[in-house]
Structures are given as structure tokens and as C-alpha cells.
Amino acid sequence: MGLLQSACETYDCMKHKIGEYESSGDDTNKRILEPLAPISHALARAQIEIVLDAHGKFYSAKDLGKDAPKIIIPVTEESASRTSKPCAHPLCDRLDYIAPYDTQKHTLYLKLLEDWTQSAYAHPKLPLILQYVRSGTILQDLSRIEVIHLQENGKPKDEKLIVRWNVLNSDPNETGECWSDKKLMESFIQYYASVRQAMSSSVCMISGKTEPTTELHPKGIVAASGNAKLISSNDDKGFTYLGRFQNAQQAATISYTASQKAHNALRWLVANQGVIWGGRTFLCWNPQGNPLPKPTDSPMIRKKSNTLPDPTAYKDALKKSLMGWKQNLRTADEAVIVAFDAATTGRLSVTYFNKLIASDFLERLYRWEETCCWENGIFGIQSPTLFQIINWAFGSPRNGKPDLDPKFLRQQMQRLMACRIDGSLFPTNIERALVEQASNLVIYLNEQKKNSKANPFWDLLFTACAVIRKYRFDHFKEDWNMMDETNIQRDKLEKNRSFLFGRLLAIAEIVERSAYGSNETREPNAMRFQKRFSLRPMSVWRTLEERLLPYYSKLSPGLRNHYRNLCAEIVEQLLECEEDLDRKLEDVYLLGYYTQRVRRSEKHDATDENIDSTDKS
């Protein structure tokens, strides 16, 4: 089943949400959600509300402002996709259609409203609104109470302001707001269905039923992409379908009902659940309405922790989070993941689509979070977000903010999202870029000094270590467990040349920082030589070792002996590796550097608070 079929299924499952105006969050962070529009209806942002009394006379009006929440308005097949050509909506429309100064537009509006009012499906509010519109006093009434301002020629300064109607009545059980009156919505649905009965029918490629078809499909599925359409066949001179078909019907036949259901459901989902990265919209949902995590975010919530990092506890928390998402899912429930992008203002493309069992989707997120993770200070063990990975791999943070081209960001975000959901191997070029960035940590030490609120040094190092661990697991089936002190893990670490050199680099930095105290702001030699060290480790280590001599003399005898013995032990292990010790280091040297830099596991390292005064907070 494809995207549009899934959207139609969602619409049918969410019928109880049609026409409902809801909000999310508490009073301080309240967010008004967009409603699910019925068939033959769309969403629009009205700027003016006109209130009529029970006799169809002007009662009051108010300016709603530019940021008023969107409302549901009835639309025809043509008006839902209108552009510059005049085409009226049946009820709520712009001033240039409702006011009589533009004869062509006003005539179109009156004709629609009259036909609906005179049909067998009319609603009691329609004659009152029609009576007021025919009076032609709308501009004068609004100008008199200063809701709008008229120019010298009598036209409004902004004629594109949309009007919504509120009709007062004596029945307290009925709402006067036309945009929330479900009886009025049903009235137009039935009326417009009767109008379309005479239209030609064909087999719908979405529903499989023989129904009246349409070639005009709604626009604005993704608000950020303007009027871009998902389905369009109005280009009969270009390359939309010519070369394969003689006309649009041969390419695809879609019923009006299925098109309305699919587009209204997608618009509702994107507005309330979609996330935008670099101008591309990412969406994940379950057609039955059960909650699912966003495809680009972690399913776990970041929480500060006062306990030491514990890989077992992290996995247990992951499993608990996974079961929390699964508890409302049935065996056959599905997850639909899609990405939308618009290269132009007229065409909306689907750049990614996948549909799988919801439990499998959650399991894949779990496997990603389990393998792409590392210790992150006060948050304990966690997985970096996809944005963090891309930002640190290809961006240059300035004042703690990312500096990435949106086009590049959206491409890489989709690439990583697909890797995460499809279970493919982690991209090599992203891992290499992160290792390269993390091999120049001195740059981010300087950035950290300029902006005390930002902590790019540790953010980059944490992200790089998590990605290295993921990359090693995917490509080489290596599991670099954090702070694991089992004999198997120790044996692996003590035989890895790059990991051992990473520990040496961290010790060189710690010794120098411990010697000159916490008030010193200069960069340690280890950081300034890091890039060279990663390329020629043994040669650079000899230089660093010589430069450490004056700093050793400033340490207490206990610390001095501890670090000298530790360096000697690591060098002895290196000499047993039987490798070219001066060749370029592998990526795991950063794991060794990080592990030694924040090491808490060794019993003889009990003076850690005196060793590293720059440890992260």
C-alpha cells in the first residue's frame, strides 16, 4: 500500500477528529493544533471575523491579526487549487470576493453562495449571510469600526484579508461560529456531492472503487512549501506525462473523495507531527493514530543523572522506553515514514517513503540507540541526535550555533534517517568527517572560551565517540563497550595500538593541566599537537614526553609517580603490539583519549578531581 492509500486509511480511522479544534501542552507552552478538515473543506487563516444577528444584520466585527489559528472553510474542487485566475470559495473568502467593488469576483462568490442556499441541503445560517452580502455594506461597516482602512477609491488597503462568519441565534446548544459548526460542514459536503454526481466516473487507483474522478488536487500539504502540489497534471505542453501518455487520465485516475481524504489527512499530519530540517519535512505516523517517535529524534528523553555511566542500565532504560511505545500497538499496526521537499513553489516531491510494521520500526530505533551511543557527562550514556552528527561532521559552530547550508543539511538528514530506519551501514564519509573534526579539538577549546554557555569541545568529542562506536559495530562487528572492565574488553584495549596512543594523549593533557592549575587558559601541548599526533603518533609522543618534564616537577610526588608509571605501562603495551608504531592512528584513538580523559574505573585513580580541573560539568 502506497503513501496515498495510507493517508486515506488514516482519514477513515481518524473520523472522530474531523472538525475538532484541539491544543497540546500546558498553559505556559500551549500549542493550538490544526484540525482535520472534512471532504470538500480546507484550512485557511482568517484575519477578520464578522458577527451577524439573528436577522442577518451587522452586529460587530473584529480584527483577528495575521497570526490567528487556521480554520476550516468549505471549498470547491476549483477553488481549493486556485492560483491567479478568479475562483471563489463558497462561504469564507477574501474581501475582494465578498465586497461588491470587483464585479467579476463578487459575482462568482454570490453565485456559489446562492446555489448552496437554494439547494435541498441548505443550512439556516446561509440565508442570513447571503442577505448581508447582498446589502453590499461590508466595507463601510468594517471601516466605520476601524477594522479595515479604505483608500481614496473606496477599496480596502489590503483586499486579501479573509473573512469568517459568526451568526448569533437564540439556541444555546448551537454555535454561531461557522468554522466549527459540523452541521454546516455536512450541509456543504452533501450539497457539493450532489453537484458532482454528473461528473465522469472511473476506477480510482487509490480506493479501487468506481467514483467521480478529479484532475484538480489540493495544494498546501506542507505549509512551508507554499502552494506546491503533490499531484499535478496541468502541464500539457511539457514533460509531466507526454511521451508516455496522451492525456492525464491515462497516467492516473484518482477519485475526488480519495484525493480529498488523502490530502486533508497528510496536511493534518504534517502540521501537527512533521519536523522540518533544512527545508525538508520529515513525518512518521501510525494510520490507527497510535503515537510513534519522530524518525529523526531519539525515542528516549534526556535526563540529568548523578550516577556513574552504566551500559547495562542504559540498555535497560532503552528496553523500558521501547516497551512504553509498544504498549498501545497491535501486532499488525504499521509505521509510515515519509519525507517531502519542494524544488519549486508548484511541485512537491516525496524524497523518501517507507512503510513497515510499527514494532519493527521501534526495534530498529532501539538497535540504533543501542550501538550509536557514548557517555555524555551529566546525561550519562546516550545517543547523539541525527542533527548533532551532521552538524559536527560538516558544520563549524559559531557562538554555539550551527553553520550549515540548509540544502546540504536536509540531504544528509534524510541519508542518516534512512540508514537508521532501513538498518543499513553507517556512512563512511560522515564517520571520517567527524574523526577529522575531533582531531582538531584545540579549535573548539578556543570557541568554548569565547562563549561560556556553549560546550563545543565535549559535544563534538561525545558525538564522534558515539559514531565511531556505531561505525565499528556496523562495518567490523566490533562492540566497543564503554567503561567495560571485563577481561575480554581489557585484552582488546591493551592490544589496540590506536586506543593506547589515545590514552597517552589524554595523560599528556591531564599532566599539563594539573601542573598549571584551573586558572590557566592556554591550550596544552597535547591539544596543539593533536592533529600531528594522529598522523605520526610515536614521533610526536617523544616530543610531548620531553615537554612534560617541567610539568612533572610541579606535581605532588604521588601524582608524578602515578602518571609516569601509567605512561610506562602503556608504552610497554605498545611495544608488544609488533606494529609500525608511527603510522597513522585509526579512529578508535579518540575512544582511548575520551576514556582516559574521564576515567573513573581504576581504583588507583582516586584523585581524579585533582587530576583534571577541566572535566565537564
Side-chain angles (χ1 to χ4, degrees), residues 139 143 149-157:
L139 294 183
S143 175
H149 298 282
L150 301 179
Q151 304 179 74
E152 293 181 359
N153 58 7
K155 296 181 180 180
K157 288 185 177 181

Side-chain angles (χ1 to χ4, degrees), residues 49 78 159 336 415 419 468-469 487 525 536 568 585:
E49 179 181 334
E78 294 78 13
E159 59 185 11
V336 184
R415 190 177 174 209
C419 172
I468 291 169
R469 183 171 185 264
N487 291 332
N525 288 308
R536 301 287 300 277
L585 294 177

Side-chain angles (χ1 to χ4, degrees), residues 476-536:
F476 306 109
K477 303 305 176 186
E478 298 176 0
D479 189 4
W480 290 81
N481 292 323
M482 298 151 290
M483 307 302 175
D484 191 340
E485 295 303 319
T486 63
N487 291 332
I488 297 175
Q489 178 78 354
R490 273 192 171 278
D491 183 62
K492 179 176 70 173
L493 300 182
E494 290 173 359
K495 290 182 179 180
N496 188 286
R497 179 185 67 95
S498 297
F499 188 90
L500 292 171
F501 268 120
R503 289 185 64 191
L504 280 179
L505 183 68
I507 293 171
E509 179 190 353
I510 292 170
V511 167
E512 189 170 341
R513 288 188 184 278
S514 300
Y516 57 60
S518 59
N519 295 326
E520 182 62 57
T521 59
R522 60 180 170 173
E523 298 81 15
N525 288 308
M527 288 294 91
R528 291 192 288 112
F529 285 103
Q530 184 194 6
K531 181 59 182 177
R532 289 168 55 190
F533 182 85
S534 67
L535 299 175
R536 301 287 300 277

Side-chain angles (χ1 to χ4, degrees), residues 50-282:
I50 296 179
V51 181
L52 304 180
D53 62 20
H55 304 289
K57 303 293 183 181
F58 181 83
Y59 182 80
S60 67
K62 61 181 177 180
D63 182 359
L64 302 173
K66 300 289 185 181
D67 299 322
K70 290 184 178 180
I71 60 168
I72 298 172
I73 66 170
V75 293
T76 65
E77 180 183 8
E78 294 78 13
S79 70
S81 58
R82 75 182 181 189
T83 52
S84 58
K85 182 180 178 181
C87 185
H89 294 317
L91 185 63
C92 302
D93 212 331
R94 300 181 334 200
L95 282 175
D96 55 346
Y97 282 91
I98 299 178
Y101 67 88
D102 189 322
T103 305
Q104 182 185 11
K105 292 180 179 179
H106 187 63
T107 302
L108 292 172
Y109 176 79
L110 271 180
K111 179 68 167 60
L112 273 175
L113 186 56
E114 287 171 351
D115 290 347
W116 181 13
T117 304
Q118 295 167 7
S119 71
Y121 309 100
H123 188 277
K125 291 177 183 175
L126 296 178
L128 302 177
I129 297 173
L130 179 60
Q131 174 187 325
Y132 176 69
V133 172
R134 281 174 172 168
S135 70
T137 62
I138 181 171
L139 294 183
Q140 291 74 19
D141 293 335
L142 295 177
S143 175
R144 175 168 45 83
I145 58 175
E146 298 184 345
V147 170
I148 64 170
H149 298 282
L150 301 179
Q151 304 179 74
E152 293 181 359
N153 58 7
K155 296 181 180 180
K157 288 185 177 181
D158 188 354
E159 59 185 11
K160 294 186 178 181
L161 298 176
I162 295 179
V163 175
R164 71 185 191 188
W165 303 98
N166 190 340
V167 181
L168 302 178
N169 56 69
S170 57
D171 189 349
N173 296 321
E174 289 192 10
T175 177
E177 300 171 347
C178 292
W179 61 92
S180 59
D181 190 335
K182 292 186 178 181
K183 291 183 180 179
L184 183 62
M185 295 177 192
E186 186 60 31
S187 166
F188 184 74
I189 293 172
Q190 294 178 358
Y191 159 70
Y192 198 58
S194 68
V195 172
R196 289 191 51 81
Q197 281 182 350
M199 303 293 180
S200 60
S201 298
S202 185
V203 177
C204 173
M205 293 186 175
I206 296 178
S207 66
K209 301 176 182 178
T210 300
E211 297 178 303
T213 59
T214 181
E215 292 182 23
L216 297 175
H217 301 276
K219 58 187 178 182
I221 291 178
V222 178
S225 300
N227 294 329
K229 286 186 176 183
L230 192 60
I231 306 174
S232 178
S233 61
N234 61 352
D235 180 13
D236 57 0
K237 297 181 176 61
F239 300 94
T240 303
Y241 54 80
L242 295 184
R244 287 177 178 266
F245 309 104
Q246 293 179 331
N247 55 58
Q249 290 78 12
Q250 291 178 349
T253 53
I254 300 175
S255 70
Y256 174 78
T257 300
S259 175
Q260 285 286 304
K261 286 183 177 181
H263 283 83
N264 286 353
L266 287 175
R267 185 188 294 113
W268 177 63
L269 291 166
V270 167
N272 298 323
Q273 300 179 37
V275 291
I276 299 176
W277 290 105
R280 184 165 294 179
T281 302
F282 298 87

